[in-house]
Amino acid sequence: MELEYLISKLIISESSRDLLEHLENDVVIVGAGPSGLTAAKYLAEKGFKVVVLEKRLSYGGGIGGGGSLFHKVVVDERGLGVLRDFNIRYNETSVKGYYVVDAAELMTKLASGALDAGAKIILGVEVEDLVVRENPLRIVGVVFKWSAISVAGLHVDPLFMMSKATIDATGHEAVLLNILARKNRDFGLLVKGEKSGFAEKAERDVVEYTGRVIPGLYATGMAVAALHGLYRMGPIFTGMLLSGRRIAEIVSSDLGRP
Ligand code: 48F
């Protein structure tokens, strides 16, 4: 057998097997930023079947840019439990209760923690719509396609992936929530849009407001801020980590045992 044939056959058959396996899931998380990856680990380690769909060819979302390209981000003492769960190193600073983490380490170890816990991360996949059922309106999956199709501007019909719980972890754009509001107007969801900077309040509110939006659809991270019109916090990541952990608790309590 020629090696070229073998390489192609293995990639196509194994990728197809994965995709078939993940046509039905306990949890689909859209977006591999800090909140989505944190949620993925805590849900996967409880035994739920979790897939993270990320439209870029890399994970980490807004982490990699650090603070305006300075390569550190800030986490306060409330986030240390999550950092320890992921084995992420942090440095003390001159300010009591505030720590710094290397952006590269944060994004890598969040992703590796999610993978080690059993979550599947698929890169280069864009979610462009929701799968809904009526009376009452509920979300039962997502509509997806390869991101390259959008980049090329091709008219290609997408495919479906089913889930008991779908989490919008798409950050500032709150892609799934905006789709829900725009394409299912009868439901009357208003995505208020994020407010300006007020870091201390933003960090607390984003965790407090994290939760279920409608049956089957949940929000975490900056998507929560967009939905509820909360303030932004900039490159401090405690709120993102705690929001990811919180949504994992809420989803697992809604789904019961895996
Ligand atoms: O933006 P992002 O990092 O979201 P987050 O978890 O964290 C926000 C912080 O990074 C930062 C902040 C707080 O300190 O303000 O900005 O809320 O990650 C969102 C991920 O979702 C992907 C996107 O490429 C990014 O990696 N994404 C967005 N739309 C889609 C998507 C889509 N339609 N399909 C798949 N992935």
Side-chain angles (χ1 to χ4, degrees):
M1 197 181 290
E2 302 284 6
L3 181 57
E4 292 82 356
Y5 170 86
L6 191 68
I7 293 168
S8 308
K9 183 183 169 181
L10 290 178
I11 288 176
I12 293 172
S13 61
E14 291 299 305
S15 302
S16 300
R17 201 161 65 110
D18 256 9
L19 287 169
L20 284 170
E21 165 72 18
H22 283 283
L23 287 186
E24 286 184 315
N25 301 279
D26 291 321
V27 188
V28 170
I29 298 174
V30 183
S35 65
L37 291 173
T38 304
K41 172 193 164 73
Y42 289 120
L43 282 162
E45 72 186 9
K46 283 200 153 79
F48 292 106
K49 186 169 155 190
V50 179
V51 65
V52 182
L53 302 178
E54 168 55 53
K55 73 175 178 180
R56 295 195 223 163
L57 297 180
S58 61
Y59 44 68
I63 301 172
S68 197
L69 295 184
F70 288 92
H71 63 276
K72 304 272 185 194
V73 298
V74 175
V75 174
D76 74 43
E77 58 197 353
R78 296 171 307 132
L80 296 188
V82 178
L83 294 183
R84 289 192 194 109
D85 286 347
F86 282 84
N87 197 24
I88 295 167
R89 294 170 297 178
Y90 50 87
N91 290 339
E92 286 187 17
T93 67
S94 52
V95 185
K96 189 171 178 302
Y98 288 86
Y99 301 81
V100 287
V101 179
D102 273 22
E105 174 149 350
L106 182 62
M107 61 200 274
T108 306
K109 289 196 173 168
L110 287 178
S112 105
L115 293 167
D116 286 348
K120 172 73 66 181
I121 302 175
I122 306 181
L123 302 174
V125 171
E126 181 180 6
V127 170
E128 65 154 50
D129 209 340
L130 298 163
V131 184
V132 303
R133 294 292 182 263
E134 294 179 331
N135 302 319
L137 183 67
R138 59 192 195 280
I139 305 306
V140 295
V142 297
V143 182
F144 75 97
K145 63 177 187 279
W146 276 259
S147 320
I149 294 173
S150 304
V151 174
L154 301 175
H155 183 169
V156 175
D157 259 330
L159 292 168
F160 304 100
M161 194 176 270
M162 309 307 284
S163 58
K164 294 177 188 155
T166 299
I167 302 178
D168 188 338
T170 62
H172 301 264
E173 292 174 52
V175 174
L176 304 193
L177 303 177
N178 277 302
I179 289 168
L180 176 65
R182 195 178 71 244
K183 299 190 75 170
N184 304 273
R185 284 175 193 268
D186 294 351
F187 184 71
L189 182 77
L190 174 66
V191 181
K192 291 184 177 167
E194 176 188 298
K195 283 192 193 150
S196 299
F198 185 166
E200 188 161 359
K201 185 160 170 48
E203 280 278 89
R204 291 184 187 278
D205 285 352
V206 78
V207 185
E208 190 183 317
Y209 282 83
T210 292
R212 188 175 60 188
V213 182
I214 64 168
L217 182 64
Y218 300 77
T220 185
M222 289 312 288
V224 175
L227 175 62
H228 295 286
L230 309 179
Y231 293 103
R232 68 184 302 186
M233 71 289 286
I236 177 164
F237 278 76
T238 317
M240 297 300 104
L241 303 177
L242 297 183
S243 172
R245 188 173 71 183
R246 177 96 188 98
I247 205 62
E249 288 162 6
I250 293 168
V251 168
S252 64
S253 124
D254 282 3
L255 294 188
R257 290 175 70 83

